[in-house]
Amino acid sequence: MGKPIKRHPSLVQVSREHHYGLLLSWKIREGLKNNIAPERIKRYTDWFYEKYQKAHFDIEEQFIYPILSSDHPLIVQAIQEHRHIEALFHQEDNLTDMLMALEKAMEAHIRFEERNLFNQIQEVATPEQLQLIEDNHNQPFEDTWEDEFWVRSK
Ligand SMILES: [Fe+2]
Ligand SMILES: [Fe+2]
């Protein structure tokens, strides 16, 4: 990761979720490298999406992105990337290609948010807007998935 700019406390939990998103990409890469059946990896990505990714996109789109205007080029890009990533999570065929595209799209989107978008948002956000993010945030993500296909010996 590049030079991290200090995150406002209201954005810390969202940034922590990004860590799990990057971990998802890593797990997919490990799984594919170890010839794990794509169906098995897909069961995890389905769970991850329902349990966490959907809520993460929701909080960003409802309380974080609106801090910049909806026609701001970075917001237009971010929303497009969300729709693309959602479509990949929902894709049911060509699973190996889907997983390869998903891990790349997730990683690129998270790095874009952490290195660029969130810094700009932080600069213009009012204390009330930041408080709203905090008040509406869901429970911290916990990975309880037991089928650890990313562990080499399993
Ligand atoms: Fe996002
Ligand atoms: Fe995000």
Side-chain angles (χ1 to χ4, degrees):
M1 291 244 201
K3 259 192 293 162
I5 292 180
K6 197 162 173 7
R7 270 298 155 251
H8 187 278
S10 296
L11 288 169
V12 162
Q13 193 181 329
V14 185
S15 282
R16 201 171 291 140
E17 289 171 356
H18 286 160
H19 164 77
Y20 287 102
L22 293 174
L23 218 48
L24 174 79
S25 290
W26 177 82
K27 287 170 179 178
I28 292 172
R29 285 196 298 274
E30 285 302 295
L32 292 173
K33 216 195 302 174
N34 297 334
N35 295 313
I36 302 298
E39 293 76 14
R40 191 172 154 199
I41 303 176
K42 165 78 169 154
R43 280 196 288 278
Y44 178 68
T45 63
D46 282 349
W47 176 84
F48 188 91
Y49 180 78
E50 284 304 320
K51 173 97 179 151
Y52 147 75
Q53 193 62 43
K54 219 160 64 169
H56 180 85
F57 282 168
D58 279 352
I59 197 142
E60 288 181 336
E61 290 181 33
Q62 282 188 55
F63 299 104
I64 301 178
Y65 292 178
I67 293 171
L68 295 180
S69 73
S70 61
D71 58 357
H72 190 292
L74 295 182
I75 298 303
V76 173
Q77 179 187 339
I79 298 275
Q80 273 171 2
E81 290 180 2
H82 278 195
R83 297 295 86 82
H84 175 59
I85 290 169
E86 274 168 7
L88 289 169
F89 271 112
H90 288 123
Q91 188 177 315
E92 300 293 340
D93 56 357
N94 298 319
L95 290 184
T96 301
D97 290 347
M98 178 282 278
L99 290 167
M100 278 162 47
L102 179 62
E103 74 88 359
K104 281 192 185 65
M106 279 286 286
E107 195 167 289
H109 180 68
I110 291 169
R111 298 216 187 277
F112 159 68
E113 288 187 330
E114 284 294 326
R115 289 174 179 170
N116 190 351
L117 183 56
F118 277 24
N119 299 336
Q120 305 221 23
I121 284 174
Q122 240 177 242
E123 265 174 39
V124 299
T126 65
E128 292 75 21
Q129 287 171 324
L130 290 164
Q131 191 57 48
L132 260 182
I133 301 169
E134 230 173 300
D135 293 348
N136 285 281
H137 214 296
N138 54 331
Q139 289 303 301
F141 176 73
E142 255 185 274
D143 194 341
T144 54
W145 191 254
E146 286 179 358
D147 177 23
E148 295 176 309
F149 59 81
W150 52 87
V151 176
R152 219 166 265 272
S153 59
K154 299 213 171 170

